[in-house]
């Protein structure tokens, strides 16, 4: 079983729509969780860290469910510029970062 | 303030050859991590260097080795290249080894093994 699993998508949504997707992780002792964004043929960039109580950054909301070992990302009022691959990242208890394969989101005009 | 830089940007090698990739961390960062990203996959952790020593290692064979210099820059060496080594190699820098600190990625080196 992979350490981090994501629905690869693609999620194809119109501008202004809300899109949400999850990521599951296998190591219950994982410490920290992040969402990174990766544009085509570019490097990953940190979108947001995910806190136990859930957190919001503008149009983006991240939630963590430790009991079920999943993390979610919700994007409201989608913009064309939100089109990217979203990588779920988990920091294990031995301080190694594990990346999911990514969820592709395409926002259409 | 320069971010993470990597060189070269692209590289073509043949099976059996050796390759060296280079990374300069973001100013003020002392830790460098290397990742391999195959097409359609997420980055896979290769190893991490801090204080010129390998501190963590992922599931990669000994053909993958590295080095960190006193100025915190780093090299990734791959010996006896295989076709399956073709990938984007990403370097990320951060402060310290706790893992909670944000890792900043460089633009990567695209390696093609023929």
């Amino acid at each position: 079983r992979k350490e981090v699993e994501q629905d690869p998508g693609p999620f194809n949504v119109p501008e202004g729509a809300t899109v949400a997707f999850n990521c599951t992780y296998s190591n219950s002792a994982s410490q920290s969780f992040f969402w990174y964004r990766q544009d085509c043929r570019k490097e990953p960039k940190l979108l947001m860290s995910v806190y136990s109580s859930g957190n919001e950054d503008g149009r983006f909301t991240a939630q963590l469910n430790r009991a079920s070992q999943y993390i979610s990302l919700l994007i409201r009022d989608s913009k064309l510029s939100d089109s990217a691959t979203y990588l779920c990242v988990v920091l294990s208890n031995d301080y190694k970062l594990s990346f999911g394969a990514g969820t592709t989101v395409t926002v259409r005009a | 303030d320069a971010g993470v830089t990597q060189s070269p940007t692209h590289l073509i090698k043949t099976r059996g050859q050796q390759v060296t990739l280079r990374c300069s961390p973001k100013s003020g960062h002392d830790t460098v991590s290397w990742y391999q990203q195959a097409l359609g996959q997420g980055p896979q952790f290769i190893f991490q260097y801090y204080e010129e020593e390998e501190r963590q290692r992922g599931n990669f064979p000994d053909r993958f080795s590295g080095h960190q210099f006193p100025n915190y820059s780093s090299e990734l060496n791959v010996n006896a290249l295989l076709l399956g080594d073709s990938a984007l190699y990403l370097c990320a820098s951060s402060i310290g080894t706790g893992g909670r600190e944000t890792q900043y990625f460089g633009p990567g080196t695209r390696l093609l093994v023929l």
Side-chain angles (χ1 to χ4, degrees):
Chain A
R1 183 183 174 187
K2 291 183 179 179
E3 292 183 52
V4 181
E5 299 206 54
Q6 296 183 247
D7 180 346
F11 288 79
N12 192 325
V13 300
E15 269 188 297
T18 295
V19 59
F21 40 90
N22 292 340
C23 149
T24 59
Y25 60 95
S26 60
N27 185 351
S28 60
S30 297
Q31 295 194 17
S32 301
F33 310 88
F34 310 90
W35 283 103
Y36 275 72
R37 171 196 168 122
Q38 187 171 28
D39 293 294
C40 187
R41 303 183 72 80
K42 298 284 190 180
E43 71 273 22
K45 293 184 179 179
L46 179 66
L47 178 66
M48 58 197 304
S49 301
V50 185
Y51 303 117
S52 296
S53 57
N55 48 300
E56 194 173 302
D57 183 0
R59 298 180 294 106
F60 297 83
T61 300
Q63 293 280 351
L64 167 63
N65 186 318
R66 284 192 181 271
S68 301
Q69 294 182 208
Y70 77 83
I71 309 136
S72 65
L73 182 66
L74 181 145
I75 307 173
R76 286 185 301 278
D77 187 24
S78 298
K79 310 292 184 191
L80 294 176
S81 58
D82 294 334
S83 297
T85 295
Y86 292 85
L87 299 167
C88 176
V89 185
V90 175
L91 177 69
S92 65
N93 51 345
D94 59 354
Y95 304 114
K96 293 179 184 176
L97 283 182
S98 294
F99 284 74
T103 297
T104 300
V105 173
T106 302
V107 181
R108 63 182 188 273
Chain B
D1 176 22
V4 181
T5 60
Q6 292 187 244
S7 63
T9 56
H10 296 79
L11 203 52
I12 300 176
K13 292 286 188 179
T14 56
R15 281 178 297 176
Q17 285 190 309
Q18 179 265 342
V19 68
T20 297
L21 310 182
R22 296 175 177 82
C23 170
S24 291
K26 186 176 168 65
S27 178
H29 286 190
D30 56 9
T31 301
V32 172
S33 302
W34 286 93
Y35 296 84
Q36 179 195 68
Q37 186 173 23
L39 199 61
Q41 300 297 316
Q44 298 297 308
F45 176 71
I46 303 175
F47 43 51
Q48 182 182 79
Y49 277 84
Y50 173 71
E51 293 188 340
E52 302 180 52
E53 290 187 4
E54 184 183 290
R55 293 304 179 106
Q56 294 279 351
R57 190 178 182 93
N59 296 324
F60 279 80
D62 292 345
R63 297 187 297 110
F64 290 77
S65 63
H67 189 78
Q68 186 179 35
F69 300 94
N71 67 352
Y72 308 119
S73 66
S74 177
E75 289 182 347
L76 164 65
N77 300 293
V78 188
N79 294 323
L81 284 167
L82 303 174
L83 296 180
D85 294 333
S86 296
L88 175 67
Y89 287 85
L90 293 161
C91 164
S93 75
S94 57
I95 300 172
T97 59
R100 295 178 183 271
E101 296 77 18
T102 300
Q103 292 198 5
Y104 292 83
F105 284 83
T109 294
R110 293 192 180 277
L111 173 65
L112 177 61
V113 182
L114 301 175

